[in-house]
């Protein structure tokens, strides 16, 4: 008899965005005349930068000739892309990361979800609340948690991010083995200072823990004092893995390209306490389970790191940051307390006592605006909604005037 992985039955509800899509579809079915504005799921709306499209086309043309055709590529990415990333994202910013420490993939969702496979079943994990659901759900699927009770899985060390601590995870008061951090944060839009990040690196070093640092939104940081990479912190190369993605940086959500940085010095431990290279484990996993990102996509990705590419992606992000500022200012003018919206495309809005899903339903019903209920990101997200800046300026302005009207 074929048996199910019982851990799947522990998973809480359907994946958040499926539930939102279901509600929006039902609403649209019942109100076909209404025009809905989506500021919910964090999906970009603007076209790929021109420089990427040109490189993408050239990549496709290469596939049309025997002499330039590419079949299976290296599972960790072509050197032309890995070298560009190492140079532009790291070396030019004074960080020692080399091309062979960069692993190109088809998404940070897969990478942040798959990395836990490398570690023992009985490790303890520390996860912020609220959180990007992938970190938690993939550990539930792997059987590292108990049952879901009162909005929480048994066995997880939750790091509460609330108004009282400015939505910043605090170092756990008990030892943990694997720590998930995300800055700029999804969903709360917060960033971390170098001093605070240093404390995490020091903690991981002292306790032999590993930090999984999700920097999917690093390109939104517009202040040189805010770290864009955990590897700006001395010693992080021994205790951290970093995830980066072109999804939001360059509009690649439908094109798919991301990369994970695993320094050579980053180690975990076997039963005898001997050091094992995380990079070797990841290489082994990826070469077994992953065939790499397609050649034309990697050519399009390479273009992001050219001078023109950097200028075009900067413009793209400035546009979304402009939207974020409009949303945050408008919500604040309506008397809502907000976090995020600066160095981040997300605005985390305190619902002034309203429950998240009620706030969501009200905005859908009265303003035909879709947001994301904070409760979907964890128990501490209850009472909040997340508004995303990913839409056209026109739609954002329209959404804001509808929200103002609805809340009058
Ligand atoms: N990490 C965070 C925090 C995200 O919000 C997202 C996407 O929304 C991802 C990772 C996934 O990125 P990708 O599109 O590269 O899979």
């Amino acid at each position: 008899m074929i048996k199910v992985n019982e851990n799947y039955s522990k998973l809480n509800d359907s994946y958040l965005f499926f539930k939102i899509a279901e509600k929006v579809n039902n609403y649209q079915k019942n109100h076909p005349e209404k025009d809905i504005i989506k500021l919910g799921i964090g999906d970009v709306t603007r076209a790929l930068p021109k420089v990427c499209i040109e490189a993408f086309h050239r990549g496709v043309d290469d596939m049309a000739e025997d002499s330039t055709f590419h079949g299976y590529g290296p599972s960790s990415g072509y050197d032309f892309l890995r070298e560009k990333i190492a140079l532009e994202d790291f070396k030019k910013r004074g960080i020692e990361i080399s091309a062979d420490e960069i692993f190109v993939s088809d998404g940070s969702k897969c990478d942040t979800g798959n990395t836990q496979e490398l570690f023992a079943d009985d490790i303890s994990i520390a996860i912020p609340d609220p959180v990007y659901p992938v970190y938690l759900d993939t550990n539930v699927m792997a059987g590292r948690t108990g049952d879901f009770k009162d909005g929480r899985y048994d066995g997880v060390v939750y790091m509460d991010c609330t108004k009282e601590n400015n939505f910043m995870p605090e170092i756990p008061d008990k030892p943990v083995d694997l720590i998930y951090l995300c800055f700029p944060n999804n969903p709360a839009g917060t960033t971390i200072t170098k001093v605070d990040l240093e404390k995490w690196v020091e903690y991981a070093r002292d306790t032999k823990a590993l930090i999984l640092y999700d920097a999917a939104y690093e390109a939104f940081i517009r202040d040189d004092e805010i770290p864009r990479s955990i590897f700006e912190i001395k010693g992080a190369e021994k205790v951290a893995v970093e995830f980066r993605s072109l999804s939001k940086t360059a509009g690649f959500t439908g094109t798919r390209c991301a990369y994970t940085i695993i320094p050579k010095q980053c180690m975990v431990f076997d039963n005898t306490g001997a050091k094992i290279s995380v990079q070797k484990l990841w290489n082994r996993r990826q070469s077994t389970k992953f065939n790499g990102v397609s050649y034309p996509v990697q050519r399009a990705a390479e273009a992001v790191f050219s001078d023109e590419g950097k200028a075009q992606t900067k413009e793209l992000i400035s546009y979304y940051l402009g939207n974020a500022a409009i949303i945050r200012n408008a919500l604040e003018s309506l008397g809502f307390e907000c976090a995020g919206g600066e160095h981040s495309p997300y605005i985390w809005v305190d619902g002034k006592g309203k429950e998240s899903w009620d706030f969501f339903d009200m905005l859908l019903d009265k303003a035909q605006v879709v947001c994301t209920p904070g409760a979907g990101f964890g128990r501490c997200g209850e009472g909040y909604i997340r508004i995303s800046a990913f839409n056209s300026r026109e739609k954002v302005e329209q959404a804001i005037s509808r929200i103002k009207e609805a809340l009058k």
Side-chain angles (χ1 to χ4, degrees):
M1 182 171 65
I2 174 71
K3 287 196 172 168
V4 68
N5 175 350
E6 292 286 354
N7 296 315
Y8 275 65
S9 66
K10 294 180 197 161
L11 287 165
N12 166 33
D13 272 337
S14 52
Y15 184 64
L16 172 64
F17 293 104
F18 284 111
K19 190 166 166 188
I20 293 173
E22 212 172 67
K23 275 187 176 259
V24 173
N25 288 342
N26 283 342
Y27 182 85
Q28 191 77 86
K29 225 185 269 167
N30 295 331
H31 305 86
E33 75 294 351
K34 299 276 192 194
D35 164 48
I36 293 174
I37 300 177
K38 293 185 178 165
L39 302 177
I41 188 166
D43 194 2
V44 296
T45 54
R46 290 189 66 197
L48 289 178
K50 197 161 171 279
V51 71
C52 296
I53 288 295
E54 287 162 358
F56 209 167
H57 278 294
R58 285 195 301 275
V60 172
D61 286 343
D62 284 350
M63 300 301 267
E65 301 290 334
D66 289 350
S67 59
T68 48
F69 169 78
H70 286 73
Y72 286 125
S75 62
S76 42
Y78 286 103
D79 285 344
F80 63 77
L81 177 56
R82 301 173 85 190
E83 276 161 16
K84 271 278 160 57
I85 295 169
L87 178 67
E88 299 295 335
D89 270 7
F90 297 102
K91 287 208 177 83
K92 283 193 178 173
R93 294 190 186 141
I95 305 169
E96 270 314 309
I97 292 289
S98 56
D100 60 359
E101 296 176 306
I102 289 163
F103 297 83
V104 177
S105 80
D106 58 354
S108 287
K109 185 186 206 172
C110 328
D111 289 357
T112 54
N114 290 332
T115 319
Q116 49 76 28
E117 262 185 56
L118 309 181
F119 313 121
D121 290 345
D122 59 353
I123 54 164
S124 56
I125 51 171
I127 293 192
D129 178 354
V131 74
Y132 174 58
V134 172
Y135 318 148
L136 187 57
D137 287 358
T138 51
N139 277 289
V140 176
M141 291 170 180
R144 281 198 193 89
T145 71
D147 288 333
F148 190 71
K149 283 184 225 136
D150 301 327
R152 296 232 151 146
Y153 289 98
D154 281 343
V156 174
V157 176
Y158 285 93
M159 300 182 284
D160 289 359
C161 301
T162 61
K163 199 188 300 183
E164 287 66 40
N165 60 17
N166 294 318
F167 309 103
M168 295 299 284
E170 291 170 45
I171 290 179
D173 51 15
K174 49 182 139 177
V176 290
D177 303 312
L178 187 64
I179 301 152
Y180 288 83
L181 294 178
C182 173
F183 291 106
N185 186 255
N186 178 13
T190 45
T191 55
I192 191 165
T193 63
K194 276 192 185 145
V195 171
D196 283 344
L197 199 48
E198 272 163 9
K199 290 182 191 152
W200 279 105
V201 168
E202 202 180 313
Y203 171 79
R205 193 197 58 211
D206 292 349
T207 59
K208 294 189 170 167
L210 181 75
I211 298 173
L212 298 183
Y213 192 79
D214 189 344
Y217 297 94
E218 56 81 26
F220 288 77
I221 295 174
R222 287 294 162 83
D223 177 345
D224 289 342
E225 291 304 307
I226 300 173
R228 291 176 70 159
S229 167
I230 194 167
F231 300 120
E232 287 177 40
I233 309 299
K234 218 166 140 246
E237 65 284 355
K238 296 194 175 114
V239 295
V241 167
E242 179 166 294
F243 306 95
R244 290 182 167 216
S245 171
L246 297 183
S247 282
K248 313 298 157 76
T249 303
F252 271 57
T253 52
T255 308
R256 311 305 309 148
C257 195
Y259 44 103
T260 289
I261 299 98
I262 311 180
K264 287 183 206 76
Q265 295 184 58
C266 183
M267 298 287 162
V268 288
F269 303 90
D270 71 9
N271 283 335
T272 69
K275 288 179 178 170
I276 310 281
S277 153
V278 179
Q279 195 185 86
K280 273 198 182 146
L281 295 170
W282 186 246
N283 245 331
R284 188 69 181 83
R285 185 212 180 266
Q286 291 297 80
S287 56
T288 302
K289 297 192 179 183
F290 182 56
N291 262 329
V293 175
S294 83
Y295 169 78
V297 168
Q298 292 195 57
R299 282 295 183 198
E302 181 191 18
V304 170
F305 301 92
S306 64
D307 287 345
E308 265 180 303
K310 282 188 278 183
Q312 290 176 20
T313 51
K314 193 168 182 195
E315 189 278 324
L316 199 60
I317 290 168
S318 296
Y319 181 87
Y320 293 127
L321 283 171
N323 286 350
I326 290 171
I327 296 167
R328 180 169 174 156
N329 290 340
L331 269 293
E332 282 181 339
S333 75
L334 289 167
F336 290 96
E337 278 182 53
C338 300
E342 283 174 327
H343 315 294
S344 162
Y346 298 125
I347 300 93
W348 189 238
V349 185
D350 183 338
K352 293 200 268 194
K354 223 182 203 13
E355 289 196 354
S356 297
W357 280 104
D358 290 345
F359 203 166
F360 171 92
D361 287 335
M362 192 268 287
L363 286 185
L364 180 59
D365 195 38
K366 293 204 170 149
Q368 293 77 51
V369 171
V370 180
C371 65
T372 307
F377 297 103
R379 196 161 84 182
C380 294
E382 182 53 272
Y384 290 82
I385 56 164
R386 188 196 74 177
I387 304 185
S388 137
F390 294 119
N391 213 321
S392 67
R393 182 63 47 85
E394 191 194 352
K395 291 275 182 200
V396 165
E397 281 170 349
Q398 215 179 335
I400 289 304
S401 64
R402 286 194 203 165
I403 292 173
K404 282 186 173 164
E405 189 60 31
L407 296 179
K408 239 200 228 158

